[in-house]
Amino acid sequence: MAWAMNRIESAFSKAKSEGRSAFVSYVCAGDPDIETSLEVCRTLIKSGVDVMELGVPFSDPLADGLTNQLAAQRALESGTTQADVFDLVRKIRAENDTVPIVFYTYYNLMFSNGLDQYIAAARAAGVDGLLVLDLPPEEAEDHLASCEKYGMGTVFLIAPTTPSDRVGYIAKHATGFVYYVSRTGVTGVRDDLADDLNEMVGMIREATDKPLVVGFGVSKREQVRAICELADGVVVGSAIVNTIKENLGDTAAITSNMGTLVSDLVAGTQVR
């Protein structure tokens, strides 16, 4: 198990040693097509992201707002398959062996082809962690066993509505990091941060010493900085995905706009 955890652990401890929080980016694999997706991942790494969350395109992404739903749709319409997603990870790994890759996925995509086989294949390709949006830890026994068997990190979500006695239970099953969804509802850019963020982060901190990241709705450097004052990492998705949507058909414009945005947001992680 150590090898998988090392990339995730190393990313958070490296950020901490540099007086900042980790920057976690989200894009959907294969958006808008698999070739451009590789350029997008290269751009993210070059722009300084610490952890890459890759959405696995799915026809029913129920946790995602419109921006990320459309990204999954573009990926599927361009013909992206599960094999393509694994191949994308292998190509990234051939160029970069340090940035952790976490799949942001749904249970059916794993279960339908055999859970064990899926996790083994993801691990072999170079995936470090799995965030399964629709799988609560109470129902994750088989998933947790397979992840342990293949040295795959697990990430679970905590929501603003999660009661305090359940926070510890969820955190206990996360071997990679804990992801606090700072808003109820689906993914998407918001103008302001949640009022109870400080209080919720404090409650989660009391329950676990695992790295804690905060996401959903983050799009500006000030928001990144405010979150990084409190948490070990910040997740930005929709704002990054929008740079793809706004420049479809022009890979150079996608990577240039994304590079500018992400470099600016990453600068907001420096808090000490």
Side-chain angles (χ1 to χ4, degrees):
M1 186 158 198
W3 192 62
M5 298 319 300
N6 281 348
R7 276 200 202 106
I8 292 176
E9 275 172 9
S10 299
F12 282 99
S13 51
K14 178 174 181 283
K16 194 175 186 177
S17 72
E18 293 168 359
R20 58 186 183 83
S21 295
F23 189 91
V24 184
S25 61
Y26 168 87
V27 290
C28 183
D31 175 27
D33 56 69
I34 206 74
E35 292 78 17
T36 311
S37 197
L38 179 59
E39 293 304 325
V40 160
C41 292
R42 285 175 174 146
T43 300
L44 292 170
I45 290 169
K46 205 162 36 178
S47 304
V49 308
D50 297 286
V51 179
M52 257 196 324
E53 262 186 20
L54 276 184
V56 180
F58 184 45
S59 55
D60 188 23
L62 52 96
D64 297 304
L66 187 62
T67 297
N68 292 344
Q69 281 181 19
L70 291 173
Q73 196 175 321
R74 287 191 295 268
L76 292 171
E77 283 173 358
S78 75
T80 302
T81 64
Q82 193 148 280
D84 291 331
V85 176
F86 285 149
D87 198 41
L88 175 66
V89 174
R90 282 190 284 271
K91 284 178 175 156
I92 297 164
R93 279 286 164 252
E95 299 174 11
N96 182 292
D97 199 38
T98 52
V99 173
I101 295 172
V102 175
F103 272 177
Y104 173 107
T105 190
Y106 290 87
Y107 192 61
N108 193 49
L109 293 174
M110 298 162 48
F111 180 75
S112 57
N113 292 311
L115 192 60
D116 228 42
Q117 294 91 310
Y118 185 94
I119 292 172
R123 194 69 202 89
V127 176
D128 301 285
L130 294 171
L131 166 53
V132 189
L133 276 298
D134 53 351
L135 182 68
E138 289 87 347
E139 294 171 22
E141 200 176 318
D142 295 350
H143 171 71
L144 290 165
S146 288
C147 284
E148 188 165 3
K149 179 174 166 187
Y150 294 107
M152 179 70 81
T154 56
V155 179
F156 284 102
L157 299 174
I158 291 173
T161 50
T162 305
S164 57
D165 58 347
R166 192 162 176 265
V167 167
Y169 179 82
I170 295 171
K172 186 175 75 180
H173 290 90
T175 58
F177 54 89
V178 175
Y179 187 151
Y180 176 55
V181 176
S182 60
R183 297 274 185 189
T184 51
V186 293
T187 60
V189 171
R190 312 285 175 97
D191 287 333
D192 52 355
L193 295 174
D195 297 336
D196 62 351
L197 186 60
N198 207 334
E199 186 189 331
M200 284 299 293
V201 166
M203 180 177 88
I204 298 165
R205 285 254 189 248
E206 280 173 27
T208 181
D209 56 2
K210 303 262 168 52
L212 168 62
V213 307
V214 175
F216 273 47
V218 184
S219 62
K220 302 187 189 85
R221 196 206 279 204
E222 315 76 272
Q223 294 172 321
V224 167
R225 182 161 286 132
I227 286 172
C228 291
E229 295 282 353
L230 303 170
D232 303 301
V234 61
V235 188
V236 180
S238 297
I240 297 173
V241 175
N242 280 336
T243 63
I244 299 175
K245 183 187 76 174
E246 288 156 9
N247 298 283
L248 287 172
D250 188 344
T251 305
I254 289 172
T255 55
S256 157
N257 284 289
M258 187 180 290
T260 303
L261 171 74
V262 174
S263 300
D264 178 61
L265 294 173
V266 167
T269 62
Q270 197 75 42
V271 287
R272 289 182 295 288

